[in-house]
Amino acid sequence: MARAMLDYTKTVLKKVSFDASLFCKEVQKAAQRLLPHELEELKQFILSLVQQNPELNQCLIYLKP
């Protein structure tokens, strides 16, 4: 079930990656819901999106422990 939440989060983040503000809100939600090891995987996923959309880099602060 938890893996499903991670996959769903990735899907949502892809869809809202056009808007940095909305993207940050979704990252905040994910940080509250996902397990620590899933957050690490999500961070790697976001880093790959940041290469395409550098303005999303500001949202990584929500994944800091």
Side-chain angles (χ1 to χ4, degrees):
M1 177 78 175
R3 181 70 190 182
M5 183 57 87
L6 177 61
D7 291 338
Y8 173 74
T9 300
K10 287 180 179 181
T11 302
V12 170
L13 290 176
K14 281 183 203 174
K15 290 182 179 182
V16 299
S17 63
F18 66 92
D19 182 358
S21 175
L22 190 54
F23 187 86
C24 287
K25 287 179 185 178
E26 291 299 328
V27 171
Q28 284 179 300
K29 288 183 196 176
Q32 294 173 354
R33 294 183 176 139
L34 298 177
L35 300 172
H37 70 278
E38 292 174 323
L39 287 175
E40 192 57 40
E41 185 176 338
L42 183 65
K43 185 175 181 179
Q44 295 304 316
F45 171 76
I46 292 173
L47 287 173
S48 70
L49 285 179
V50 166
Q51 291 179 353
Q52 298 166 0
N53 302 322
E55 67 275 3
L56 302 178
N57 191 40
Q58 63 186 337
C59 301
L60 288 172
I61 63 168
Y62 299 113
L63 297 180
K64 302 285 184 200

